[in-house]
Amino acid sequence: MPKSYLTEADKAGMSENCVFLAESHAAYKAGDHEAEWAWLAKAELPAHALRAAKRRNGADWIRAKGLRTETAERAYGKDWLERDI
Amino acid sequence: MAKTGLNETFEGLFFREDGLMTEVGRTPPAELLRETRKELLEHLKAVGKSGDLNTILAIERSFLQNDLDRHANSTAMTNSLKAALAELDAAEALHKKVQDPAAYKATDDDHSLPRNRVGSLPKDQARQFFSSHAARLLSQDKSRLEPEEKSLVDARKANMRAGEKVYAALQREALGIEAKSAKGRDRGMGL
């Protein structure tokens, strides 16, 4: 697990995915960008957000970040990173 | 592509914003809110179909007042809502007046110039409200709202069109203009 910046009380009532996003936010606030992205890589991100980032930065950037891409694969097809979408 | 620290910051923030919006949408209150808005939409559409101008205007007043009381978060938004409510006041006053042909005669006379007519009918403050308010709602449709909120804005816009038709019929009645003769020339706001 990446370094945690949240207490159990902070995470109370949050879904697992929400905890990942909240941890990423807390790491970002702490200036720990490695943990910020490591937590983001654990989160399920919306397909449209992944597509937008791919359009801005390219497929290799998405791969290098190690982001989970199953939402985009469901929405745009398994080969969404190889195709122009 | 070389990346700067600034871009990385934005990318992280964009991901969290999108991801958190999706998470919020998955909570029980968010689901209930969508359901409630769907119900509201059905009732709103029914009001438009009813052709009851009193109710059409009263419901629109409720939306505007609620937006002003609870959601207005900029001077531009507050001013726009206050302007809409003032125009709505004028439209309601004219709705009463147009049902009295003798009283409405003065309004007709005040709008004698062609540029102050819509077809054969006065482009009075009620007609101006229906068209300017529909345009105002159209610009809301371009803003960042949930799909259910967009549908509500659409229905309110449709109700403005429906309200204008009812009002135009009352104008024709007050002025003794046959609906047939006005048809084709009185095309309304065309939005």
Side-chain angles (χ1 to χ4, degrees):
Chain A
M1 282 288 180
K3 183 176 176 186
S4 172
Y5 287 86
L6 296 179
T7 64
E8 287 308 310
D10 290 334
K11 295 185 274 187
M14 286 186 193
S15 67
E16 185 186 45
N17 203 47
C18 194
V19 168
F20 295 153
L21 294 166
E23 286 280 15
S24 173
H25 172 74
Y28 160 77
K29 294 287 279 183
D32 182 348
H33 298 297
E34 194 184 324
E36 174 196 357
W37 283 96
W39 283 112
L40 267 183
K42 296 185 77 62
E44 181 189 275
L45 300 168
H48 60 90
L50 288 161
R51 184 178 63 178
K54 180 193 163 221
R55 284 176 175 169
R56 286 191 294 267
N57 305 300
D60 285 344
W61 184 87
I62 298 279
R63 290 190 194 97
K65 286 286 176 198
L67 300 171
R68 283 171 56 188
T69 59
E70 70 272 17
T71 54
E73 286 176 11
R74 276 200 299 276
Y76 312 121
K78 286 249 176 227
D79 59 346
W80 76 287
L81 278 174
E82 279 78 49
R83 283 186 299 118
D84 256 355
I85 55 156
Chain B
M1 196 190 302
K3 289 286 117 201
T4 67
L6 183 67
N7 278 352
E8 292 282 315
T9 300
F10 269 108
E11 294 301 346
L13 288 166
F14 281 147
F15 273 132
R16 284 192 295 280
E17 192 205 9
D18 270 326
L20 287 165
M21 280 172 67
T22 302
E23 286 304 310
V24 169
R26 284 172 178 161
T27 61
E31 273 171 37
L32 190 57
L33 183 59
R34 280 194 293 273
E35 283 301 310
T36 304
R37 282 176 172 154
K38 276 181 195 160
E39 289 291 322
L40 192 53
L41 179 64
E42 292 311 308
H43 284 274
L44 197 55
K45 283 179 175 172
V47 166
K49 284 200 184 102
S50 76
D52 175 351
L53 191 49
N54 277 324
T55 308
I56 290 173
L57 292 174
I59 294 291
E60 187 51 32
R61 177 180 294 282
S62 308
F63 273 100
L64 289 169
Q65 193 65 51
N66 187 41
D67 277 354
L68 183 61
D69 294 342
R70 292 194 44 201
H71 305 296
N73 50 14
S74 69
T75 309
M77 188 176 176
T78 301
N79 290 344
S80 169
L81 289 165
K82 281 184 176 168
L85 280 163
E87 288 170 23
L88 178 56
D89 287 342
E92 283 187 330
L94 275 163
H95 180 218
K96 286 195 183 75
K97 202 171 176 184
V98 78
Q99 293 170 78
D100 176 355
Y104 194 67
K105 177 76 169 59
T107 303
D108 187 38
D109 292 344
D110 287 346
H111 296 79
S112 59
L113 294 176
R115 68 185 169 89
N116 293 330
R117 313 288 290 185
V118 187
S120 53
L121 301 170
K123 192 177 175 183
D124 61 20
Q125 287 185 318
R127 295 296 293 258
Q128 287 171 40
F129 165 71
F130 289 120
S131 64
S132 71
H133 195 48
R136 196 180 282 123
L137 291 169
L138 183 68
S139 67
Q140 271 191 34
D141 199 35
K142 297 173 196 158
S143 66
R144 187 167 159 173
L145 296 173
E146 297 292 321
E148 292 78 16
E149 292 176 287
K150 286 269 169 88
S151 300
L152 286 173
V153 170
D154 268 354
R156 287 168 64 193
K157 192 151 53 72
N159 282 8
M160 290 303 101
R161 279 193 222 106
E164 185 173 43
K165 276 187 190 152
V166 175
Y167 185 78
L170 291 169
Q171 283 182 303
R172 283 194 290 272
E173 207 174 299
L175 302 174
I177 297 169
E178 290 292 322
K180 206 177 172 184
S181 69
K183 202 178 174 185
R185 281 186 292 149
D186 178 25
R187 287 188 299 270
M189 57 202 169
L191 279 171

